[in-house]
Amino acid sequence: MQLTYWAEYAWLDPVVEPGVALDVSADGLISGVRKGVEAPPAGAVVLRGLTLPGLANTHSHAFHRALRGTVQVGSGTFWTWREVMYQVASRLTPDSYHRLARAVYAEMALAGMTVVGEFHYLHHAPGGRRYDDPNAMGEALIAAAADAGVRLTLLDTAYVSSGFGAAPNEHQLRFSDGDAAGWAARASALKERERVRIGAAVHSVRAVPAGQLETVASWARERSAPLHVHLSEQTAENAACQEAHGCTPTQLLADHGVLGRATTGVHNTHLTPEDIRLLGSSGTGTCMCPTTERDLADGIGPAAALQGAGSPLSLGSDSHAVIDPFEEARALELNERLRTRTRGHWTAAALLRAASVSGYEALGWPSGGVLEAGALADFTCVALDSVRTAGPLPRLAAETAVFAASSADVRHTVVGGRPVVRDGVHLSVPDVASELASAVAELRG
């Protein structure tokens, strides 16, 4: 049955239009976009505020949500943070992972995110013991996304080494399938279904030996699946790669067939000019995660240079220091302002594209992230009358959303034409905060 949503204002890239009717077909697609509809049609669902395309969280580690607050005590580096992360990972089971991820994905829906790319490497039981279902942890994530009403691209991740061929440490045994061939055999048993895509990931050049990179890349190519990789997040990884292989991580990936239009490098922080050229000329995407990159003191990546070279930009909340797509979008611009001491590197429209359509494309959903006929009926609505957003002219609503709004301003989220969040309340996870508190408490040592 066709349904109509009436948007008080809608961002129809690149402008904000008043009075837009979005017709949704029974198969969850936008069947029509009608501008200049001054009043809600009879029977239409009214969306007050600014309606945006569904926002994409291109890079997520759901279990990192349990670290929020805890890792803000004291000082340290990415590597000391990682030790705390390992402790949380050691306590997860398929059931507790499902409970946590369900709440985390519901938090994302409350923030206006309609699709998430889960960079999933927590495959086995402690010590590396296989569950009866070798994909029990991945299936827990798939069930959690279904419960929370969001689309999921499960980026099943190859992680077989503690560093450039060294055996996994005691924590990493949960992540490893022995080698890339073992990873491929297990990952091949995962099946796509409604609202679920299966992709692949190379955890990093340190975690997958060079001779096994092609196995992962070929697996993804054969399935026309997205392929993601943590890339040059830390200078220590760059130095170790130079010592092991005499080249940068980007060059190593290029030499082994990992780069390309279906591939997204996550972070891409510490790159040489030649790295930027290789990524751009191959069409490899870049997923920036600004709130995590600053939280972990990673550094500011060359996002503008990468995009200028031909690398599409998307955004992710990664470790979930916060879950707020507007914060990620504006941080991309504000970080570049700090780095260059100039303003205006991206328009609000360009930042919204990074937060929506570019993320959908990076996650293997090319018909999502836009408000146009034939697209997935995924959208979210931001209040324009909160203390953060009240005041600006409606024609500046996109600028207001990107540079002033927060996830707390999201009023409605719709996925496949079905409401997931209404009036700021998640419809299938009615008390997200309590579920988060309970799931995180279960994992405390």
Side-chain angles (χ1 to χ4, degrees):
M1 183 173 65
Q2 181 162 299
L3 179 65
T4 296
Y5 289 86
W6 180 81
E8 183 180 23
Y9 299 97
W11 181 67
L12 303 182
D13 187 7
V15 298
V16 173
E17 294 280 356
V20 175
L22 300 170
D23 298 319
V24 177
S25 60
D27 57 358
L29 301 178
I30 297 174
S31 58
V33 178
R34 293 178 281 140
K35 297 187 287 187
V37 182
E38 295 182 358
V45 178
V46 175
L47 303 175
R48 295 287 177 188
L50 175 66
T51 296
L52 300 168
L55 303 177
N57 192 349
T58 308
H59 188 68
S60 163
H61 300 292
F63 77 92
H64 289 188
R65 174 61 177 80
L67 300 171
R68 189 181 295 179
T70 302
V71 291
Q72 304 306 333
V73 178
S75 60
T77 66
F78 168 87
W79 306 103
T80 55
W81 169 91
R82 190 175 72 160
E83 292 303 312
V84 180
M85 179 270 288
Y86 283 157
Q87 294 302 318
V88 171
S90 71
R91 301 183 188 113
L92 282 162
T93 67
D95 287 342
S96 62
Y97 206 7
H98 172 262
R99 286 189 288 274
L100 176 62
R102 164 187 156 100
V104 174
Y105 295 153
E107 182 182 0
M108 292 179 193
L110 288 172
M113 294 167 169
T114 49
V115 62
V116 56
E118 184 63 35
F119 200 101
H120 167 55
Y121 56 85
L122 189 55
H123 302 305
H124 307 298
R129 179 180 58 82
R130 273 43 174 176
Y131 292 107
D132 291 341
D133 175 359
N135 284 306
M137 296 295 268
E139 291 293 341
L141 293 167
I142 290 170
D147 290 348
V150 298
R151 298 185 195 276
L152 176 72
T153 296
L154 187 71
L155 296 160
D156 198 278
T157 303
Y159 192 133
V160 300
S161 169
S162 65
F164 298 98
N169 66 32
E170 60 177 323
H171 303 294
Q172 297 161 349
L173 290 171
R174 293 199 75 173
F175 312 158
S176 178
D177 292 292
D179 56 23
W183 165 83
R186 180 189 49 72
S188 295
L190 289 162
K191 303 301 180 186
E192 295 190 342
R193 58 208 81 175
E194 185 181 10
R195 300 191 183 187
V196 176
R197 296 280 185 272
I198 304 299
V202 170
H203 179 275
S204 55
V205 294
R206 70 178 184 274
V208 178
Q212 299 180 41
L213 291 170
E214 175 60 28
T215 299
V216 185
S218 294
W219 188 96
R221 280 196 301 271
E222 289 165 5
R223 292 161 176 77
S224 299
L227 173 62
H228 289 214
V229 54
H230 289 134
L231 179 57
S232 288
E233 182 180 4
Q234 294 292 320
T235 54
E237 178 177 273
N238 286 4
C241 187
Q242 284 283 357
E243 182 177 352
H245 297 290
C247 65
T248 66
T250 301
Q251 184 66 61
L252 189 68
L253 295 176
D255 290 346
H256 291 274
V258 177
L259 303 186
R261 295 191 180 279
T263 301
T264 297
V266 180
H267 304 304
N268 293 1
T269 309
H270 303 286
L271 303 177
T272 67
E274 176 61 12
D275 291 339
I276 293 171
R277 188 197 69 77
L278 283 169
L279 292 167
S281 63
S282 63
T284 301
T286 294
C287 177
M288 290 292 183
C289 306
T291 63
T292 289
E293 288 152 5
R294 67 192 184 199
D295 183 60
L296 297 182
D298 288 345
I300 299 172
L306 281 160
Q307 188 173 49
S311 179
L313 298 181
S314 57
L315 296 167
S317 64
D318 192 1
S319 70
H320 314 312
V322 297
I323 292 177
D324 188 332
F326 307 103
E327 181 66 20
E328 303 294 348
R330 65 175 157 262
L332 192 66
E333 167 68 21
L334 298 181
N335 282 354
E336 194 70 6
R337 292 182 186 185
L338 286 174
R339 192 181 68 80
T340 63
R341 289 177 290 173
T342 59
R343 303 174 76 239
H345 302 275
W346 291 278
T347 64
L351 294 170
L352 285 174
R353 287 182 209 115
S356 57
V357 63
S358 290
Y360 267 80
E361 290 173 347
L363 294 174
W365 301 87
S367 60
V370 292
L371 298 179
E372 59 185 41
L376 297 172
D378 298 356
F379 37 90
T380 191
C381 187
V382 180
L384 295 177
D385 57 358
S386 77
V387 293
R388 289 166 293 278
T389 60
L393 294 169
R395 65 180 176 81
L396 299 175
E399 286 77 8
T400 303
V402 170
F403 289 102
S406 80
S407 58
D409 296 311
V410 171
R411 293 293 177 263
H412 311 285
T413 300
V414 174
V415 180
R418 304 172 193 167
V420 175
V421 173
R422 182 182 295 141
D423 296 322
V425 176
H426 198 288
L427 298 182
S428 60
V429 187
D431 193 345
V432 178
S434 290
E435 292 208 14
L436 283 165
S438 175
V440 172
E442 185 179 356
L443 299 175
R444 291 197 183 104

